[in-house]
Amino acid sequence: MSPARKLQNDIAAQSLVMVPGAPDALSARLVEKAGFAAVYMTGFGATASRLGTPDIGLLSQTEMTTHARDMARAVSIPIIADADTGYGGPSNIHRTVREYIQAGVAAIHLEDQEAPKRCGQMAGIRLMDIERSAERLRCAIDARGDDDLLIIARTDALPAAGADEAVRRSDRYRDAGADFVFVDGIKSIAEVETVARRIEGPKVVSIVDGNETTALSADDLQELGFCIALYAVTTLFSATRAMSNVLATLKHSGRSEHDPGTMVSYDEFCDLVDLNFHRQLDDRFGA
């Protein structure tokens, strides 16, 4: 079964699929080990882990699709991948879709920003013309052909132009053939409720740590009618704090002092990265 079909089946079975973000292949393995049905390859996390920079469109298409391919090799659960704006004109969009299909992801989302793009939580977003954006979505759908890939139309209109424009664009993108619509930049529970009430069809929501939307449970989001809930930065922010704390302790004390409950053991880590599989290969075929 293809990753896209598996994700569709999970949505049908669960109504809402919770999808934590993973900045790299290691954290994607942790998402899978925790029992989640899918993982989100967040551009915010990918940019931070690869470049140590903000999500302002600095990663290229080839860097992003390589990142997706590496994550797909590491896990067996479906991957929803950030595809930014498609990285150029129609030919670039076509190549982007084909590269992500070959990478083995289940879904991608394409956004309606002008370059240089911004993270949906940032200021300075400039929106693409709505009809131009709809044409670009149709180009992506055409590039998909008969292959299994879900296409999510993301709009950043909410913070840039308000709820009415976000609703208008979501409706237009759904009519253009997108499988799901995704209003990004949500920061309040009231905005989640507005999107849920006013936008029809399959919907994606992003719950960003630091916003009041984290008070909404998966049951709440399911009741509101969302199919997919992304938790884009939860693992990234948690890991960053944990690493910062242990490094501060190491610097202060000169020793690796920590609560054993806050750090995995060597054996646990080896299990996570599947060292035993490679040992078995070496036993069978090594010199």
Side-chain angles (χ1 to χ4, degrees):
M1 183 184 300
S2 73
R5 291 286 179 89
K6 188 174 187 307
L7 180 58
Q8 287 176 312
N9 288 348
D10 288 335
I11 292 170
Q14 302 176 31
S15 297
L16 176 84
V17 175
M18 300 172 68
V19 188
D24 53 29
L26 179 64
S27 51
R29 283 190 174 229
L30 287 168
V31 171
E32 181 175 35
K33 188 174 182 179
F36 289 94
V39 61
Y40 176 41
M41 193 200 89
T42 153
F44 187 100
T47 305
S49 66
R50 291 178 71 92
L51 301 181
T53 60
D55 183 16
I56 51 174
L58 297 177
L59 282 182
S60 68
Q61 181 241 54
T62 50
E63 287 173 310
M64 286 287 280
T65 53
T66 297
H67 201 69
R69 190 172 286 107
D70 290 342
M71 286 178 62
R73 290 191 187 105
V75 298
S76 60
I77 57 176
I79 295 170
I80 298 174
D82 187 345
D84 291 329
T85 60
Y87 307 100
S91 295
N92 303 91
I93 293 169
H94 186 279
R95 183 187 175 204
T96 295
V97 169
R98 299 312 305 173
E99 290 283 346
Y100 272 114
I101 290 170
Q102 292 170 20
V105 306
I108 61 171
H109 66 68
L110 292 161
E111 58 205 56
D112 57 359
Q113 292 189 42
E114 292 281 3
K117 61 144 286 177
R118 294 285 183 269
C119 164
Q121 297 287 315
M122 293 180 183
I125 290 170
R126 295 182 301 119
L127 294 173
M128 191 178 294
D129 174 77
I130 185 172
E131 290 304 323
R132 180 179 168 215
S133 187
E135 282 296 318
R136 292 166 67 82
L137 282 169
R138 281 194 284 268
C139 177
I141 293 164
D142 182 78
R144 172 180 63 185
D146 294 329
D147 287 297
D148 286 335
L149 179 74
L150 298 171
I151 294 178
I152 302 167
R154 169 180 146 178
T155 180
D156 290 88
L158 182 63
D164 288 345
E165 182 63 12
V167 171
R168 185 172 81 96
R169 285 173 177 258
S170 295
D171 290 344
R172 185 72 188 87
Y173 301 159
R174 185 186 63 244
D175 292 344
D179 298 297
F180 299 85
V181 293
F182 170 24
V183 176
D184 201 15
I186 288 176
K187 296 182 179 179
S188 70
I189 292 174
E191 289 172 338
V192 174
E193 293 171 340
T194 296
V195 168
R197 184 177 67 254
R198 296 184 58 187
I199 295 176
E200 298 179 356
K203 295 179 285 291
V204 177
V205 65
S206 179
I207 303 299
V208 177
D209 295 88
N211 295 338
E212 68 175 34
T213 57
T214 55
L216 294 170
S217 69
D219 288 341
D220 295 329
L221 297 171
Q222 180 175 321
E223 188 174 341
L224 286 165
F226 292 99
C227 297
I228 296 170
L230 305 176
Y231 299 84
V233 296
T234 303
T235 61
L236 177 66
F237 286 3
S238 298
T240 301
R241 174 59 67 199
M243 287 189 285
S244 179
N245 286 344
V246 76
L247 289 169
T249 299
L250 180 61
K251 176 65 175 175
H252 176 74
S253 69
R255 293 192 300 272
S256 180
E257 298 176 337
H258 59 273
D259 179 347
T262 64
M263 188 179 291
V264 299
S265 69
Y266 185 87
D267 287 342
E268 287 172 320
F269 190 86
C270 289
D271 181 61
L272 175 64
V273 297
D274 206 8
L275 176 61
N276 191 52
F277 168 78
H278 296 281
R279 282 175 171 163
Q280 290 175 353
L281 283 180
D282 196 53
D283 289 342
R284 292 172 63 196
F285 306 114

